[in-house]
Amino acid sequence: MSHANGAPGAGPTRRAGRWERYRVTHPFSPQDQAALWASIAGVVALAALLGWAFEMKGGVVVVAALPFIISSFEERRTAFQFDTTGVLSGGVRLPWTDVAQLVVATPPDGEHALIGVRLRPGASLPPGTDAPAQHPAMPAPVHVAVPRHKFDLAKMVGKARKYAPPHIRIVVAEPSGERVAT
């Protein structure tokens, strides 16, 4: 699915799914970088072996495998994301029907922001999923800590207005109380 702009001189179309989300990632650790490069080297070696053994074009293997490898590592880095289908917080996927509010807390003494999800009454976590340990600054049961420099509340609010259901509110939890983010 792509959004095409019929205006003359319009830019290229984009895949809609990529832009219809808000996403915060963990930093790319040295171990993840090493694993990514090892995976890519393994695919290139496999392609060379297949090319030699079966006299087939190994480039096809590389071209086919690289998007899957890269997307796998991007998924591992995702700390928090919401899109048109629901919320992913710390590996816990929740449909919008189970979500009451998104909660944000930025403890003054930390280098992390906390993003949480309040469940609607009667909703529960998916089977086999455990809630993270409670943080004193976060009133929501499902939450994740993200690097503060990667978090943008204004961008989150803007994306929520576009892609989240209308009943979803983003609440900022502060020591003095809670307020709705604008």
Side-chain angles (χ1 to χ4, degrees), residues 37-85:
W37 284 109
S39 298
I40 291 171
V43 167
V44 170
L46 176 66
L49 178 66
L50 290 174
W52 173 77
F54 298 115
E55 296 181 12
M56 63 185 281
K57 296 188 186 314
V60 173
V61 174
V62 173
V63 170
L66 282 181
F68 293 106
I69 292 170
I70 292 169
S71 69
S72 167
F73 280 90
E74 284 298 309
E75 286 177 22
R76 287 178 48 191
R77 288 186 56 218
T78 301
F80 178 85
Q81 174 178 308
F82 68 77
D83 55 26
T84 56
T85 62

Side-chain angles (χ1 to χ4, degrees), residues 7-23:
T13 60
R14 296 181 180 146
R15 290 180 298 147
R18 177 160 175 82
W19 306 106
E20 293 176 355
R21 69 177 183 193
Y22 175 77
R23 180 174 176 241

